[in-house]
Amino acid sequence: TLDLPVAHVFGVATFYTMYRRDKGGRNTIRMCTNISCMLRGGYEVMAALEQKLGIKKGEVTADGQFALVEEECIAACANAPAAVCGTHYFLDMKPEEAGEAIAFLKANPHPEGEVV
């Protein structure tokens, strides 16, 4: 349709993290691990999210409710470490708050059929 080489289309589709090539979760938690978040404990928060969800980054929970993605930057450096799900940002996160973020998302589901 666009008369572009397959390699070019694949390059674009794999560069932008919001383009999915596989099925995501109903709630996709994008945990930033860029320099600001990394220096303030982003990897520790990621580990806590993995433990609470029972999955590793890049995976989806068995019930399809949550996907966990390592994000390069979500533009919330002043409040690092940060994660985003849909339009909700979780700022200044600590590992012990991972369960609270998951509970919030369970209590505030996205409208039926919407996947973020």
Side-chain angles (χ1 to χ4, degrees):
T1 301
L2 299 175
D3 196 30
L4 294 169
V6 172
H8 180 80
V9 175
F10 184 76
V12 170
T14 56
F15 179 79
Y16 295 101
T17 58
M18 298 203 56
Y19 290 145
R20 289 196 188 117
R21 295 180 319 279
D22 52 9
K23 186 169 174 54
R26 179 138 191 214
N27 294 285
T28 298
I29 301 171
R30 298 179 182 286
M31 182 67 215
C32 181
T33 57
N34 205 335
I35 190 72
S36 296
C37 289
M38 184 260 308
L39 289 173
R40 296 191 65 203
Y43 283 112
E44 290 81 1
V45 175
M46 174 73 83
L49 288 166
E50 288 176 333
Q51 191 272 326
K52 292 285 185 187
L53 292 169
I55 59 174
K56 295 290 184 189
K57 64 184 175 189
E59 296 179 346
V60 179
T61 57
D63 62 5
Q65 290 301 303
F66 293 94
L68 184 59
V69 175
E70 181 176 14
E71 191 70 39
E72 182 59 28
C73 183
I74 61 171
C77 301
N79 295 100
V84 66
C85 182
T87 59
H88 190 83
Y89 278 71
F90 298 94
L91 305 173
D92 299 304
M93 288 188 76
K94 295 176 180 34
E96 57 271 15
E97 297 170 343
E100 294 171 28
I102 294 165
F104 173 85
L105 293 169
K106 285 181 180 178
N108 297 282
H110 293 286
E112 205 56 45
E114 180 184 353
V115 176
V116 294

